[in-house]
Amino acid sequence: MTPLAAVSWSGGKDSYLALHRSRASYDVVALITMFDDEGTRSRSHGLRPQVLAAQADRLGLPVCTGRGSWATYEDGYLRALRDARTLGISHVIFGDIMYDSNREFPERVCAASGLVAVEPFWGEPTDQLYREFVLTGADARIVTVKDSVLDASWLGRRLTLNLLDDLRAAGADPCGEHGEYHTVVVDAPRFSSSIDVVRLDHVSRYGCWALDFTINEFSASRGDAAGI
């Protein structure tokens, strides 16, 4: 019997690739996403709830959500795992690639919840993972950049094979593993339709440039994402 699993879902390229690659070995039945205390932005990527909801809708999957500050993040994640367990899952799939601290957290919280943490990318070369993501046919746009490495002109750019050379030339890890950038997936072969993105503004905060955007709820056309 294929194990039931949830994917730890940021809304970006790594979580989508984890979902894409793991479908052959797991029956993915849910996404898990963490938000801030107010539930207005996702942790790390700073995405609006409407964006995460649109992704889940197009994947046909429910989302188990948690809330918390960075200080209470673990408690919030444990609550989300409890909700996911009610769906019968036994495994949780993560998109971590490097740093022992990144791997230690999933293993700890999953063990405490009676679940198994799965890290399908761990230790793999990031240039290969970047190419693998692009070749899935998914459309990911850069929404956050560390301004000591990449400037605001990178916001909204689509991950392509050609962009990989630009990232390297700028001194960024191909997958942004040192915090150089984060992404949002706006279309993918596994989406029922693309997400029509409406650009609002970009802001500088905590040493990063971030793109603020929402979605056009009335658009369900497949094609290039709009406005980003």
Side-chain angles (χ1 to χ4, degrees):
M1 180 180 295
T2 305
L4 299 184
V7 173
S8 190
W9 187 258
S10 67
K13 61 176 175 45
D14 295 332
S15 56
Y16 180 81
L17 185 58
L19 170 66
H20 178 86
R21 191 194 279 191
S22 300
R23 286 279 190 162
S25 302
Y26 299 93
D27 182 4
V28 176
V29 297
L31 309 175
I32 298 173
T33 299
M34 279 294 294
F35 289 92
D36 58 20
D37 280 319
E38 295 76 28
T40 58
R41 298 282 178 169
S42 65
R43 282 294 171 195
S44 298
H45 287 45
L47 303 179
R48 293 171 180 262
Q50 300 96 314
V51 175
L52 280 302
Q55 291 177 325
D57 177 70
R58 285 155 176 78
L59 288 167
L61 294 172
V63 186
C64 300
T65 62
R67 293 187 183 185
S69 65
W70 288 121
T72 61
Y73 184 94
E74 184 164 331
D75 289 340
Y77 204 93
L78 287 168
R79 286 191 290 271
L81 288 179
R82 286 197 292 271
D83 290 342
R85 281 201 65 181
T86 65
L87 301 174
I89 70 165
S90 56
H91 294 68
V92 183
I93 300 161
F94 296 83
D96 302 309
I97 303 171
M98 61 177 69
Y99 295 121
D100 289 341
S101 59
N102 288 343
R103 188 168 190 169
E104 187 273 337
F105 173 81
E107 291 180 346
R108 183 176 69 251
V109 294
C110 285
S113 303
L115 300 166
V116 178
V118 180
E119 296 278 13
F121 309 146
W122 189 257
E124 295 188 18
T126 54
D127 60 338
Q128 293 181 21
L129 289 170
Y130 181 101
R131 290 189 182 94
E132 183 179 345
F133 170 80
V134 171
L135 293 175
T136 67
D139 180 350
R141 306 299 177 97
I142 295 176
V143 293
T144 305
V145 295
K146 183 185 290 186
D147 63 12
S148 61
V149 183
L150 305 173
D151 62 30
S153 69
W154 286 78
L155 296 173
R157 295 181 71 177
R158 179 176 180 173
L159 299 194
T160 63
L161 294 180
N162 289 336
L163 190 68
L164 178 56
D165 290 336
D166 294 340
L167 287 166
R168 285 170 165 164
D173 177 81
C175 287
E177 282 302 290
H178 311 301
E180 297 95 331
Y181 73 95
H182 292 303
T183 60
V184 61
V185 175
V186 294
D187 197 12
R190 297 190 181 278
F191 281 15
S192 60
S193 64
S194 61
I195 301 174
D196 187 11
V197 181
V198 181
R199 185 168 184 155
L200 299 176
D201 199 358
H202 63 273
V203 297
S204 178
R205 60 188 182 195
Y206 309 117
C208 294
W209 284 101
L211 180 64
D212 190 18
F213 61 94
T214 186
I215 61 172
N216 180 356
E217 297 283 1
F218 302 102
S219 175
S221 61
R222 181 169 288 277
D224 290 339
I228 192 171

